[in-house]
Amino acid sequence: MKQVLVRMPLRILAVISCLILSMNAFAQQISVKGHVVDATGEGIIGATVRVVGQSGGTITDLDGNFTIQANQGDNIQISYVGYKEVVVAAAPSVSVKMVANSENLDEVVVIGYGQVKKNDLTGSVTALGTDKLVKGAVTSATDMLVGQAAGVSVITDGGAPGSGATIRIRGGSSMSASNNPLIVIDGVPVDDGGINGMSNPLSIVNPNDIETFTILKDASATAIYGSRASNGVIIITTRKGQAGRVKVSYSGNVKLSTRKNEVDVMSANDFRNFVTSKFGEGSAQVAALGNSDTDWQKEIFRTSVSTDHNVSVSGAVPHMPYRVSVGYTDENGILKTSNMQRLTGAINLNPQLFDKHLNIQINVKGIYNTNRFADTGAVGLATQYDPTQPVYMDGSEYGNGYFMYLNQTNGKPIDIGLTNPVSILDSKSDKSTVYRSIGNIQLDYKFHFLPQLRANLNLGYDVSKGEGDVIIQDNSPMTWSSGNYKTGFGENTSYYQLKRDELLEFYLDYNNTFGVHNIDVMAGYSWQHFYSSDWTKYPYSAKFAEEKGQEYYKDGIENRTENYLISFFGRLNYSLLDRYLLTFTLRDDGSSRFSKHNRWGVFPSVALAWRINEEKFLKNVKWLSALKLRLGYGVTGQQNLNNGDYPYLARYSYSKAGANYYFGNTEYRLIAPQAYDENLKWEETKTWNVGLDFGFLKNRITGTFDYYYRKTDNLLNTVTAPAGTNFSNELLTNVGTLENKGIEFSLTAHPVVTKDWDWTISYNLSYNKNEITKLTFNDDPSYKGVIHGGIDGATGYNIMINAVNHPYNSFYVFEQMYDNNGRPIEGAYVDQNGDNKIDENDLIVYKKSAPNVFMGLSNQISYKNWDLSFALRASLGNYVYNNVQSNREAWDGSQMYDQTGFLKNRMTSAWVDDFKAGQYRSSFYVQKASFLRMDNITLGYTFDKLFNEKQNARVYFTVQNPFVITNYSGLDPEISGDGIDNNLYPRPISFLLGVNVNF
């Protein structure tokens, strides 16, 4: 009883205490009513309002008002896109004025030799922050740019690990010289010529280290780089350390890749039926059939697993922010034996001395890259090899156990037989190792006695070394049926390359404001040295070296070369009333690649901009946030002629093997002069650009529209040289002109921004028309153009042309005729000149490989801690020559059956098209290849707190390349290069599971 009496008072006291606490809490809770306005006093609609430290919240109404429950002592946080976040103490009545975020208004964009506020840009420049990009399974910087910017086309070379890419900004500006943009990494212009042993030269930069891309597109933006800027400039800036606590980040993923589809060739049973139906039982063709059932495409492909790991540490010690990162990638391709392993490291130090008057940037990046390249010839052979034959065979001294075609008479290998595709992958080892480092130290000093004046010194380097060995096993099928010798020994190759670029740049910059005038003047000097040495050797295997008594089966090759580029440059930026803008640039380049008569070239540009929305007649238009008109003109050049470092000098070449001269018993190789033009100079591109930048509804919607016209003069072309004027009847010289004109449009919108939802959508559209307007010194009606584009299956046939009044890389074919059912009639072509015969004079310029329009759409939407993003891309009006189909349909003669006794598989379309002879130059095989591709879809979830508030993690799942919508009948409509579909390494569909952790 006492226990009960004792417990009752305790329970009563507990209940009373809870009531008192509840009443006290209730007494402290208040209803906060607030009003949120912008700098002009206009109410802000949809601003997010929440109590700091609590989940949930509310948004402002149409008048900028809100009501929220809080306790006394709480803080209220108000945020809105494009404005600085505001935190106020909870009170019954709150009035908040939000200020536009200076980080957006004064966002700094990196340009050539400096930086400028985004609002002050006068040229056509696109700045991309990598934190805003929709990321998929990327292994290089080029992967991140796909579909992200108007006017920028990025086509990867296929699905191989570490594969390169074709980047074009506003179409190509050349036919013979390079069309690649200039790449600048942390202030160092890098060589785009490639490195032996590495497919993608931009693999040097780990994507996780990249902070921003800046794409300079028109001449007013690019002319500061002079003779290297005709194809645009891409400036890559890597992440830097920041003052504050030490931050450690880890990102990693595992990726599963598999092939999406296959070339539609006949199965073993279908092929037997096809051969029998065409030639009948008892024929030699039927006798050549085997007894197996082999899916050769299945035999050479696999499902692969890849991993990627990256760790970074950033922070600051006194007066020096720093960032250090390490990354490791192990990527296996879906084609068996293909693999890339990459180890990257980056160090960034930013000491600030003399009261922050001296700012030092130290950047060092390095890569150790190993590759095992799979021979993509196996892809094409897998679609041709007889499916009735086995992968392996016993009882033959040839082929190392792999099936190969043998002569039925003497049992020896058929030297023109197709090579077993599985044996190509297993018997050929193509391995490389690449070391590369890019670095610089940049010192920027703001003078104490004149702080408006800065001096900047940049010392940089780019050093790479690539080496590798291609080893083919002796007696493998390849040694008997391919190569130059076909006598059973592996035609091995060893190679080495060293490339070294050195950079010194210095400039002075003066920036000051005088009342309504702002002037920024810069002048500088640049010196860059490029050196390259390489050798290639052709060793026997140890067995054959001993048997032949010599180490090499043919003479090696060794080269050394260098060139210099010296420049003087300057820029003037002038602003009046902060709304009338002028930019003038001038660069004077001197290149050792040209003779002293053509060594120097001047490249000027001028641009004007008008901030129309700052005028009085638009100042009070609330819905208009920004409106700027831009006009620009400039001249740029191209000095990378793809013709060596000394194209203007007389050159001599050794005679081919066997073409020798004897003095007595001594053999001497002959030396023959080559054609050259001592007056060669760089190609020169003039660009006119008009653009409009706009923003609506407090920059909830922003966009850009540009129209451009580009004309390249002094276009390089190989023309006929008058007899006796040179050492050849053909000469590469500056003779042509080429034009590009187009429009670009980009739009970014934030349709929904609430306390729980955030939706951002970006769209870009590009249209480009390319036309060659001159190719010879004088008009010559008989001159067809530059015919090129060799194809598989028809030696000596070229199906592409560069012709006057037509686009670059057009197709050159016979115009196919069709029956009433729309099927092609074999050998029936349009007689273009009406002479009642079909010959070379009936070939026509037909379609082109480049698209008319390409578009990109990226979408990012988040709900609380969930996020969903995707990236779509479309290409319209591009055509592809389907060489896979043109070489695998005809069935008569040697098209399908070789007289030595072997068969080649056919596509299933051979039943329908029923071509007896190959129609290689038929327009039927130039097929429309427009497409819509989903590049990636990503779903992620973020954990705000791991062990404390400063730690977070994000887990995500990505599907890369989930689908392509197209009418193209081939494997993939997206073909890099000249638009000939043959031996493409398929782009896989990939499933990626990843995590990002920040400590």
Side-chain angles (χ1 to χ4, degrees), residues 769-836:
K769 181 180 179 182
N770 172 283
E771 185 178 1
I772 299 168
T773 54
K774 182 183 177 184
L775 284 178
T776 55
F777 288 110
N778 301 303
D779 292 336
D780 183 0
S782 65
Y783 181 72
K784 302 294 185 183
V786 181
I787 302 171
H788 64 103
I791 56 176
D792 189 19
T795 303
Y797 279 0
N798 293 286
I799 50 84
M800 305 204 76
I801 189 171
N802 295 326
V804 174
N805 299 326
H806 293 282
Y808 172 70
N809 271 355
S810 295
F811 297 99
Y812 196 49
V813 291
F814 294 112
E815 186 178 358
Q816 179 69 53
M817 298 181 69
Y818 298 85
D819 62 20
N820 292 331
N821 296 318
R823 300 308 309 168
I825 304 171
E826 182 171 352
Y829 302 113
V830 175
D831 182 7
Q832 302 291 341
N833 57 6
D835 61 358
N836 296 318

Side-chain angles (χ1 to χ4, degrees), residues 607-627:
L608 302 169
W610 175 27
R611 291 195 193 129
I612 306 174
N613 65 302
E614 294 295 328
E615 297 291 349
K616 291 182 180 179
F617 61 87
L618 288 178
K619 197 73 173 178
N620 296 321
V621 179
K622 302 299 182 181
W623 55 266
L624 183 64
S625 309
L627 186 64

Side-chain angles (χ1 to χ4, degrees), residues 119-120 122 574-575 579-583 607-609 611 628:
N119 272 5
D120 291 342
T122 56
Y574 170 71
S575 171
R579 59 178 179 267
Y580 307 109
L581 309 173
L582 165 70
T583 299
L608 302 169
R611 291 195 193 129
K628 181 169 67 176

Side-chain angles (χ1 to χ4, degrees), residues 841-866:
N841 294 319
D842 294 304
L843 290 166
I844 61 169
V845 182
Y846 182 80
K847 308 299 184 183
K848 59 183 177 59
S849 60
N852 296 320
V853 175
F854 55 91
M855 297 178 282
L857 175 70
S858 61
N859 184 87
Q860 296 172 309
I861 187 168
S862 64
Y863 172 70
K864 294 185 177 180
N865 289 32
W866 291 94

Side-chain angles (χ1 to χ4, degrees), residues 57 102 119 123 146 180 205 283 360 526 530 601 639 675 758 764 804 807 842 945 949 965:
S102 61
N119 272 5
V146 176
N180 296 329
V205 186
S283 63
I360 304 174
S526 175
F530 304 87
Q639 50 102 21
D758 190 348
N764 66 77
V804 174
D842 294 304
K945 301 176 183 177
E949 293 183 355
I965 300 174

